[in-house]
Amino acid sequence: LTVAPTRIDLPPEQAGGSVTLENNDPLPTLVQVETFAWKRTPLIGDLEPTRELVAVPPVFELAPGARQIIRVALRRPHAGPTEAAYRLVITEVPPPGGGGGVRFALRLSLPVFATPPGAAARPQWRLDRDGAALRLELANHGSAHLLVQRLTLRAGGRNQEFDQPTYVLAGQRHVWDLAPPLAAAGPIELAAETS
């Protein structure tokens, strides 16, 4: 399965959006679509089911080579001063029976943001030493998310890179543990590619 786009932004003047799912497999697949409020981490176990965001159709079969548009909309316009964050979870439902082989079911989790006018991220970076351990903390004191696409730290001729995109929601924090050689190297230079 492939999906595009990989995130949905819902500005105040736009209550809905869509993603297109395509089945590249030679077999049909059953798909379930669910919506969740995203308040902490994007892990499925940390998400809360929500009725604020609607996804249609919620269940469908996708033929080989076929495409399906999934429409996503807020039940009512977002009126708060802080951005509301959601996840659209698209799950491939495996067919019944084993068939003698192993089949992996795909689960896609896409961010959905309802951003009010004037909302913006306000990042604050901090290094925290605890003995030999060193952590980099990013606190977002703003009213909208911040996406850290790439992070590079340099010290004493050594580099440590983090290239896993990380969302830091409004009012949330994220911590990166730094490698021991970097932690012992003295002053640290930070280069961050963010949204």
Side-chain angles (χ1 to χ4, degrees):
L1 296 175
T2 58
V3 66
T6 56
R7 76 179 256 171
I8 301 171
D9 291 296
L10 302 174
E13 67 278 0
Q14 180 183 330
S18 66
V19 296
T20 302
L21 190 67
E22 184 175 356
N23 183 5
N24 298 313
D25 198 72
L27 299 172
T29 187
L30 185 64
V31 176
Q32 179 180 8
V33 182
E34 300 169 281
T35 58
F36 294 89
W38 176 18
K39 298 186 180 179
R40 292 178 300 281
T41 74
L43 299 174
I44 297 294
D46 286 344
L47 300 176
E48 301 169 12
T50 186
R51 294 182 51 79
E52 294 174 14
L53 186 70
V54 179
V56 177
V59 177
F60 56 91
E61 184 172 271
L62 196 55
R67 291 181 179 181
Q68 174 69 50
I69 295 174
I70 302 168
R71 302 200 187 283
V72 180
L74 293 169
R75 286 190 185 270
R76 61 185 65 86
H78 177 62
T82 302
E83 176 179 75
Y86 304 94
R87 299 296 287 198
L88 178 69
V89 177
I90 302 168
T91 306
E92 182 181 18
V93 180
V102 176
R103 177 153 179 173
F104 294 96
L106 182 65
R107 176 175 277 171
L108 304 168
S109 179
L110 310 178
V112 180
F113 297 105
T115 310
R122 196 163 51 95
Q124 181 179 11
W125 299 90
R126 187 179 85 155
L127 280 172
D128 183 25
R129 285 193 189 273
D130 182 12
L134 184 65
R135 290 187 272 303
L136 176 67
E137 178 183 279
L138 169 59
N140 182 358
H141 297 292
S143 53
H145 75 277
L146 180 72
L147 172 59
V148 179
Q149 289 138 332
R150 181 181 307 272
L151 192 60
T152 304
L153 295 109
R154 296 179 188 94
R158 301 175 192 268
N159 287 353
Q160 184 173 1
E161 289 192 17
F162 299 91
D163 57 5
Q164 177 70 36
T166 302
Y167 284 97
V168 184
L169 302 179
Q172 298 291 317
R173 301 174 183 276
H174 187 81
V175 175
W176 291 268
D177 290 319
L178 305 186
L182 192 71
I188 295 177
E189 177 187 329
L190 166 68
E193 181 184 332
T194 69
S195 57

PDB file of all heavy atoms in Angstrom, residues 90 135 141 161 171 177-178:
ATOM      1  N   ILE A  90      -4.359   3.997   9.222  1.00  0.00           N
ATOM      2  CA  ILE A  90      -4.844   3.153   8.125  1.00  0.00           C
ATOM      3  C   ILE A  90      -4.228   1.774   8.318  1.00  0.00           C
ATOM      4  O   ILE A  90      -3.001   1.629   8.301  1.00  0.00           O
ATOM      5  CB  ILE A  90      -4.440   3.750   6.765  1.00  0.00           C
ATOM      6  CG1 ILE A  90      -4.996   5.172   6.625  1.00  0.00           C
ATOM      7  CG2 ILE A  90      -4.904   2.858   5.624  1.00  0.00           C
ATOM      8  CD1 ILE A  90      -4.431   5.952   5.451  1.00  0.00           C
ATOM      9  N   ARG A 135      21.959  14.796  27.731  1.00  0.00           N
ATOM     10  CA  ARG A 135      20.717  14.741  26.973  1.00  0.00           C
ATOM     11  C   ARG A 135      20.421  16.123  26.389  1.00  0.00           C
ATOM     12  O   ARG A 135      20.688  17.141  27.022  1.00  0.00           O
ATOM     13  CB  ARG A 135      19.565  14.308  27.867  1.00  0.00           C
ATOM     14  CG  ARG A 135      19.643  12.865  28.291  1.00  0.00           C
ATOM     15  CD  ARG A 135      18.413  12.412  29.026  1.00  0.00           C
ATOM     16  NE  ARG A 135      18.375  12.602  30.458  1.00  0.00           N
ATOM     17  CZ  ARG A 135      19.244  12.145  31.345  1.00  0.00           C
ATOM     18  NH1 ARG A 135      20.280  11.479  30.944  1.00  0.00           N
ATOM     19  NH2 ARG A 135      19.084  12.344  32.621  1.00  0.00           N
ATOM     20  N   HIS A 141       7.145  25.630  23.671  1.00  0.00           N
ATOM     21  CA  HIS A 141       6.274  26.481  24.479  1.00  0.00           C
ATOM     22  C   HIS A 141       5.267  27.244  23.618  1.00  0.00           C
ATOM     23  O   HIS A 141       4.589  28.143  24.111  1.00  0.00           O
ATOM     24  CB  HIS A 141       7.123  27.480  25.275  1.00  0.00           C
ATOM     25  CG  HIS A 141       8.037  26.821  26.254  1.00  0.00           C
ATOM     26  ND1 HIS A 141       7.589  26.153  27.368  1.00  0.00           N
ATOM     27  CD2 HIS A 141       9.393  26.694  26.267  1.00  0.00           C
ATOM     28  CE1 HIS A 141       8.617  25.665  28.038  1.00  0.00           C
ATOM     29  NE2 HIS A 141       9.729  25.969  27.393  1.00  0.00           N
ATOM     30  N   GLU A 161      24.397  12.443  14.590  1.00  0.00           N
ATOM     31  CA  GLU A 161      23.249  12.867  13.798  1.00  0.00           C
ATOM     32  C   GLU A 161      22.009  12.090  14.188  1.00  0.00           C
ATOM     33  O   GLU A 161      22.071  10.899  14.495  1.00  0.00           O
ATOM     34  CB  GLU A 161      23.518  12.676  12.307  1.00  0.00           C
ATOM     35  CG  GLU A 161      24.528  13.641  11.763  1.00  0.00           C
ATOM     36  CD  GLU A 161      24.582  13.657  10.248  1.00  0.00           C
ATOM     37  OE1 GLU A 161      23.627  13.159   9.602  1.00  0.00           O
ATOM     38  OE2 GLU A 161      25.568  14.174   9.714  1.00  0.00           O
ATOM     39  N   GLY A 171       3.278  22.556  23.681  1.00  0.00           N
ATOM     40  CA  GLY A 171       3.279  22.238  25.105  1.00  0.00           C
ATOM     41  C   GLY A 171       3.989  20.948  25.464  1.00  0.00           C
ATOM     42  O   GLY A 171       3.985  20.546  26.628  1.00  0.00           O
ATOM     43  N   ASP A 177      19.130  11.306  23.714  1.00  0.00           N
ATOM     44  CA  ASP A 177      20.313  10.910  24.488  1.00  0.00           C
ATOM     45  C   ASP A 177      21.524  11.015  23.572  1.00  0.00           C
ATOM     46  O   ASP A 177      21.525  10.481  22.458  1.00  0.00           O
ATOM     47  CB  ASP A 177      20.170   9.476  25.003  1.00  0.00           C
ATOM     48  CG  ASP A 177      19.107   9.372  26.090  1.00  0.00           C
ATOM     49  OD1 ASP A 177      19.055  10.272  26.951  1.00  0.00           O
ATOM     50  OD2 ASP A 177      18.327   8.405  26.057  1.00  0.00           O
ATOM     51  N   LEU A 178      22.567  11.670  24.056  1.00  0.00           N
ATOM     52  CA  LEU A 178      23.769  11.870  23.253  1.00  0.00           C
ATOM     53  C   LEU A 178      24.801  10.788  23.551  1.00  0.00           C
ATOM     54  O   LEU A 178      24.877  10.275  24.665  1.00  0.00           O
ATOM     55  CB  LEU A 178      24.358  13.250  23.518  1.00  0.00           C
ATOM     56  CG  LEU A 178      23.390  14.424  23.308  1.00  0.00           C
ATOM     57  CD1 LEU A 178      24.123  15.744  23.450  1.00  0.00           C
ATOM     58  CD2 LEU A 178      22.698  14.343  21.956  1.00  0.00           C
TER      59      LEU A 178
END
